[in-house]
Amino acid sequence: MADEGNACGARCGRDGRELMTDITVDTLRDWLAGHKPVTVLDVRTQEDRDQWSIPGSIHVNAYESLRLGRSDVLASIEIPSQAPIVTVCGRGQVSQIAAHQLRARGLDAGSLIGGMQAWSLAWNVAEVPLAVSDARLLQIRRTGKGCLSYILGSAGSAAVVDACLEPSVYTRLAEAHGWRIRRVLDTHVHADHLSRSKALAEQCCAILFMPEQHRVHFDFSPLSDDAVVHVGSTALSVLRTPGHTEESTCYLLNDSCVMTGDTLFLGAVGRPDLHANEKEARERARWLFRSLRRLQSLPQHLLVLPAHASLPVAFDGVPLAESIEAVFEGLSSWFTSEDAFVERLLSRLPPTPPNYRQIVELNENGASPAVDVTELEAGANRCAVS
Ligand SMILES: [Fe+2]
């Protein structure tokens, strides 16, 4: 289909219909969050797709053929509807060839600018049901990477836990709900993404809370076991749960839920070996066993809210949460004895996350990276052992 720019820069087909240009991550994110019909066509290799993908996308293993200039690669692809098509590859270059070929078929197609690397910063939201009426809790899911963060709002104030996206994401969400961010908390010093908590706290003039420790080289309000952080008319209680890291901490919201950081996931437990030698990892594995036993002793109906998901998070508004009872039922084979737990954990450690030393160093220094953040954070989260 021939197309050309009009006075305002949009491309129009011969019938005058406005055609899609290449689109940004923010635009695709808005479309998916708003349930606008769109076909996302992933043209990467199967191996790359297996690493991470965009929820609801369809896949055609066409990367090499497109790269080699074959013009008929997408000729037989069946597109499920008349919806616009967004082609996706790793960095947004080969996907431009794909979009061009589809446009040649008369289809309305554009490429995702920056590809999956840029998509790393895409996010969506789900509300977590609470047992109380004086607070609301949003789970902010960085679907492009699997990191989960939280905003707790109550009586006009808000607290953000484990900020993993640009501060503006949280400030806009808070503003939309009539909250002012007054507290920012991390569950631990993260190793697989850059913590945005310090920057967010500075931007909002909020108090930055972290577990009491001597790792970070900037000012924060230290939290010890059983401390309480007030947020509006509600409060978070502090549970120190060492294991994943020495300072790892969970935040309990009254009778509703517990934010478990990387200590406990919905079907996995935290890894104890990052930034640790073999002896330290073994010791941390023992701490983790005891910390998990402590979490297991909480009221069984409380929802577990982890800091990571192992799969891309759908734009479905359904929170990733399970009751303590359900989570520990799924993990029951882990808890025959402390020794068995330790051996099992240490024998199943996944590969270490790429760049984790550099990320830890930045998080300990509270510094902004001089390189592209998405480059630094590339790769799936690997803080869980299942
Ligand atoms: Fe972690």
Side-chain angles (χ1 to χ4, degrees), residues 188 190-191 244 262 383:
H188 65 292
H190 291 276
H244 170 60
D262 290 353
C383 276

Side-chain angles (χ1 to χ4, degrees), residues 346-366:
L346 296 178
S347 69
R348 291 182 175 212
L349 297 173
T352 52
N355 304 329
Y356 86 93
R357 287 182 190 281
Q358 200 181 347
I359 292 173
V360 166
E361 196 177 313
L362 285 163
N363 284 338
E364 287 180 344
N365 289 329

